[in-house]
Amino acid sequence: MPAFNAACYLVDRHVEAGNGGRVAVRCAGTTTTYADLRDLTGAFAAGLRRLGTRTGERVLFVCSDRTELLAGLLGAMRTGAVAVPVSTMLTGPELAKIVADSGARVLVVSPEFAKAAEAATAAPELAHVITVDGAALELPGWLQVTAWADLVAPGGDAVAATTPDTPALWLYTSGTTGTPKAAMHRHENLRAVCETYARHVLAITADDVCFSVAKLFFAYGLGNSGLFPLWAGATTVLEPRRPSAALAAEIIAEHRPTLFFSGPTFFAALLAANLPADTFASVRAVPSAGEALPATLQRRFTERFGVEVLDGIGSTEALHIFLSNAPGAISPGTSGRPVPGYDISLRDSAGAEVPDGEPGALFVRGASIATGYWSRTVATRAVFQGEWLSTGDTYVRSPDGWYTCLGRSGDLLKAGGIWVSPAEVEERLLQHPQVAEAAVVGVPDSDELDKPVACVVAVAGAVLDPAELVAWCRQGLAAFKRPRSVMVLDELPKTATGKVQRFRLREDARAVAAALPDRPAAAPLDAL
């Protein structure tokens, strides 16, 4: 098999072509050229080798979007290790489970997430912690702590003899089965999403400037802010701060991006922020993913700001978008058509293809599909079926080839584009001493975006305070998983066999949707 390393493909290729002086990254008032980025990724790769990191070992990152994170991810892959960026919204206990599950020997931490990282350092395989920008942690004595600046000594490099099939990247997702698990991607997968969506839908060039609200630890954000601009020799704008409509407007005004990536929840916040109509004057296209974009919201955004929104669907397991609207070819309320390089199949419960106009389970096939889930045999066999990925979504195709999302095949829901397992939220609610029963369902808000609503029953004699229960969930779960509203019921509707009738709860909870607060500009901070 021929040699191939995704980090060299994304960075070194431009330097070798004589474009090392082009700006690769803008972040926090600094610029990094492609030559600088090559040197930094090489130095990080060499530093990992000095720590004893071997091919295939995991390097886990809990870090804000900044040059060090992008260079670290590329450097880990460069040296043959597996880069594992994880959500910066996780609590310490949630992060600890992922560190232990991954078997990571190296943890890279930026200052904002030091406290959460401290709770994760008891993982049995962890040996090294790399601190970025002066991150200070209280750690057990057996862990070796190395400052980023000390690790990346100038002049080092370590390019592994990787192939297209060498493991490169793990991305943790609740995905289609609820519990966090790592989707495993090869070096080739990173090239595949660039040669499909970036080439054929975005038509990205070296003259583009990219800014993404979705962060690098998301598959969506990793493509937007990392893979795609670097593949094209373009510039990416990284922002360590948590996003808001006002901050997005500030970044757009300063950096004049040509591609702005976001999701429906944030588009609603931008519309509510009373921004000037010319805010997006520099932007030629606005891709959207994470959850289905309501047609009304899509039209309102384009009418307000004069820029097309390219709604699409991707997944962590597919690494990026495989169904999408395209510039000049948009059907509001749909996920568009197949991205060149991907095959789509809609199937009934027996596995047979359904005709146009009939709903079916969505399957996708393409070169970027993950090889499976780490140490999750049952889930892998259910989701990865030969060449095909079972997405867990239900879709319908129109006779002229447009695909429309009808929702999830199961009970999982998305809040701000991130999968939320009702069972996980229900477990937290049931830990409250005054809650006897709990069920969480997704209910559309005023912008037709699903939000978690908790339906609870009190223990005998107790009086439940909805606001207290929301706060209770925030204390034990990542903020985006919290219920947006709580309904206190006398009993949960159930079948004769005792199963909760979630469809009835959804119907009842729609009456609550009108009372859900309008999202202020800062609301997407918990969502994207």
Side-chain angles (χ1 to χ4, degrees):
M1 184 172 289
F4 177 74
N5 186 281
C8 296
Y9 172 72
L10 293 169
V11 181
D12 297 31
R13 178 167 52 94
H14 303 296
V15 180
E16 293 165 0
N19 296 315
R22 292 189 63 89
V23 174
V25 184
R26 299 180 195 163
C27 180
T30 65
T31 59
T32 302
T33 67
Y34 276 88
D36 295 335
L37 188 59
R38 181 197 58 182
D39 293 345
L40 189 56
T41 58
F44 185 78
L48 288 178
R49 285 294 182 182
R50 288 196 299 273
L51 296 182
T53 306
R54 295 169 294 184
T55 299
E57 290 185 336
R58 274 73 68 196
V59 180
L60 193 142
F61 298 80
V62 54
C63 188
S64 57
D65 276 22
R66 54 177 71 216
T67 306
E68 292 94 336
L69 174 57
L70 182 58
L73 296 173
L74 294 168
M77 291 185 277
R78 188 181 190 91
T79 198
V82 177
V84 189
V86 298
S87 173
T88 56
M89 296 181 288
L90 300 176
T91 64
E94 290 171 320
L95 179 61
K97 292 178 182 178
I98 289 178
V99 175
D101 181 78
S102 70
R105 292 189 68 251
V106 180
L107 175 64
V108 182
V109 184
S110 64
E112 307 94 323
F113 315 109
K115 286 299 179 185
E118 286 177 358
T121 53
E125 301 297 328
L126 192 63
H128 300 277
V129 175
I130 300 171
T131 58
V132 175
D133 196 20
L137 293 81
E138 295 182 7
L139 300 174
W142 65 81
L143 287 175
Q144 179 179 333
V145 181
T146 306
W148 172 278
D150 294 332
L151 186 77
V152 293
D157 199 352
V159 181
T162 55
T163 73
D165 278 347
T166 301
L169 175 74
W170 288 4
L171 294 170
Y172 271 84
T173 175
S174 293
T176 55
T177 57
T179 55
K181 52 198 173 297
M184 302 182 293
H185 287 283
R186 312 168 297 151
H187 279 256
E188 176 62 25
N189 293 22
L190 280 69
R191 175 165 58 182
V193 291
C194 296
E195 294 288 352
T196 53
Y197 182 77
R199 179 184 295 279
H200 295 291
V201 178
L202 298 181
I204 188 170
T205 74
D207 294 326
D208 278 304
V209 177
C210 301
F211 174 65
S212 175
V213 174
K215 298 297 189 178
L216 282 166
F217 66 79
F218 289 106
Y220 181 46
L222 179 63
N224 305 342
S225 293
L227 307 183
F228 299 161
L230 296 184
W231 170 77
T235 299
T236 184
V237 178
L238 299 181
E239 175 51 60
R241 292 171 291 180
R242 303 177 78 185
S244 68
L247 179 58
E250 174 188 323
I251 292 169
I252 292 170
E254 179 181 357
H255 296 284
R256 309 297 292 169
T258 57
L259 291 168
F260 176 86
F261 303 82
S262 188
T265 296
F266 201 80
F267 291 139
L270 290 167
L271 285 167
N274 197 31
L275 300 175
D278 64 352
T279 297
F280 290 85
S282 67
V283 177
R284 64 178 178 85
V286 178
S288 176
E291 57 189 325
L293 178 66
T296 299
L297 193 57
Q298 186 175 34
R299 292 191 183 101
R300 284 174 56 206
F301 190 90
T302 298
E303 290 169 0
R304 170 67 177 156
F305 296 114
V307 62
E308 291 183 323
V309 181
L310 312 180
D311 191 27
I313 178 178
S315 71
T316 303
E317 293 84 354
L319 193 55
H320 213 274
I321 293 171
F322 50 81
L323 268 177
S324 183
N325 287 267
I330 292 176
S331 178
T334 78
S335 298
R337 293 183 168 113
V339 172
Y342 293 95
D343 298 315
I344 303 297
S345 174
L346 299 184
R347 304 177 184 177
D348 63 20
S349 58
E353 292 269 356
V354 299
D356 289 346
E358 294 292 329
L362 177 66
F363 286 73
V364 60
R365 176 173 63 184
S368 69
I369 304 300
T371 58
Y373 297 124
W374 167 251
S375 294
R376 299 290 192 279
T377 302
V378 173
T380 294
R381 289 174 177 169
V383 174
F384 299 90
Q385 302 180 16
E387 294 182 298
W388 293 91
L389 170 70
S390 173
T391 68
D393 295 291
T394 299
Y395 265 74
V396 63
R397 194 183 95 131
S398 67
D400 53 352
W402 297 98
Y403 287 79
T404 300
C405 181
L406 302 180
R408 291 294 294 167
S409 302
D411 289 322
L412 284 182
L413 58 99
K414 277 188 174 181
I418 310 173
W419 289 121
V420 176
S421 169
E424 187 177 12
V425 186
E426 290 160 7
E427 180 183 12
R428 174 61 181 170
L429 286 164
L430 291 171
Q431 291 171 0
H432 193 284
Q434 294 179 321
V435 174
E437 295 182 89
V440 175
V441 295
V443 178
D445 65 5
S446 59
D447 288 309
E448 303 175 42
L449 303 174
D450 277 355
K451 300 299 177 207
V453 172
C455 306
V456 298
V457 177
V459 299
V463 177
L464 294 174
D465 179 354
E468 179 190 352
L469 291 179
V470 172
W472 172 262
C473 289
R474 287 188 71 113
Q475 292 170 6
L477 299 170
F480 69 88
K481 300 176 185 178
R482 75 191 188 285
R484 302 310 195 267
S485 184
V486 175
M487 293 175 56
V488 180
L489 306 176
D490 293 331
E491 60 181 5
L492 299 181
K494 297 175 182 174
T495 66
T497 58
K499 294 183 179 179
V500 174
Q501 295 178 310
R502 292 180 184 271
F503 73 95
R504 287 183 56 189
L505 289 177
R506 292 189 190 98
E507 293 172 356
D508 293 342
R510 285 181 183 274
V512 178
L516 291 176
D518 290 335
R519 287 180 303 281
L525 307 187
D526 295 330
L528 289 171

